[in-house]
Amino acid sequence: MTFSLIARCTRTGQFGIGAVTAMPAVGKLLTYAWPGRGAVATQALVNPYLGIDGIGLLRDGKNSDEVLDLLKEGDPEVDNRQFAILDRTGHGAVWTGAKCIDWAGHAVFPNLTIQGNRLEGPQVIAAIRDAFEAHADLPLAGRLVEAIAAGDAWGGDRKEELSSTIYVVDTEEYPLWDVRVDHHQHPIAELRRVYGIFSRDLYPHIKRMSTRANPMGEIDDRAV
């Protein structure tokens, strides 16, 4: 019901996830990330604890292959799951269960994983990667938007998408970007619109907010 990608920006060290699905509110349970440690995406028959526990294992220093094996061992419904892990080095690991709805599959590259189920075919995966690489000049959040838009244009989810999200962590425990379209007939176009608003009106405030190292932050106008 979903396609997604996890990426690590080699310039900034940011981790991000982009996703689209035919169900409402894809951003609620699919996206998990921790600064400097990595990210997890969980989809198909969603088990949120794959994301929660996966991040815990990454924070403990496990690599993506170790995390994948441990999560598989702990889930009796693993054949119905699809989940991906990208660790602090940019190494990825993905599981696509045998019972995921066709077409289901994934691809792993340095600093990037792409995964999906109930897609039109493998061309969706290829389109996502091509778009992500073609927009290397953009910030990670912008590359995620372009990548999921390309996947949608090449067929995407066979049931027609209803929700979309991008989620990016930088150096702090709160996200730098958390843009969600929870229910819309055109979730990609709406994601672009909201991303533009966030870029203009919210991103500058996020960059000046409190950090662990500087609780005062740099915000002069406290109203956000």
Side-chain angles (χ1 to χ4, degrees), residues 94-207:
V94 185
W95 170 260
T96 298
K99 296 181 181 179
C100 290
I101 300 172
D102 285 336
W103 186 87
H106 60 264
V108 179
F109 310 97
N111 300 296
L112 177 67
T113 76
I114 306 168
Q115 46 284 328
N117 59 86
R118 200 174 60 185
L119 304 183
E120 288 289 347
Q123 70 271 18
V124 177
I125 301 289
I128 291 169
R129 187 201 183 189
D130 289 347
F132 185 79
E133 298 298 340
H135 292 88
D137 58 317
L138 296 180
L140 180 57
R143 296 179 76 185
L144 295 173
V145 172
E146 296 301 329
I148 61 175
D152 180 66
W154 276 85
D157 189 313
R158 289 190 289 109
K159 197 181 175 184
E160 300 184 357
E161 295 82 355
L162 286 175
S163 65
S164 58
T165 188
I166 59 168
Y167 186 88
V168 176
V169 295
D170 191 7
T171 58
E172 301 304 312
E173 296 162 39
Y174 54 81
L176 181 63
W177 294 92
D178 185 2
V179 185
R180 306 183 189 186
V181 175
D182 283 344
H183 192 277
H184 199 278
Q185 292 302 310
H186 304 286
I188 305 298
E190 182 67 2
L191 185 71
R192 284 190 185 279
R193 187 187 73 84
V194 178
Y195 173 67
I197 293 171
F198 276 38
S199 298
R200 183 191 68 220
D201 297 340
L202 183 60
Y203 177 78
H205 291 284
I206 298 293
K207 291 295 290 182

Side-chain angles (χ1 to χ4, degrees), residues 3 7 26 37 47-49 53 68-69 71 90 109-110 113 122 154 168 171 174 200 204 212:
F3 66 87
V26 65
R37 290 297 177 177
N47 177 357
Y49 285 103
D53 294 345
L68 186 83
D69 289 341
L71 294 178
F109 310 97
T113 76
W154 276 85
V168 176
T171 58
Y174 54 81
R200 183 191 68 220
R212 285 291 188 192

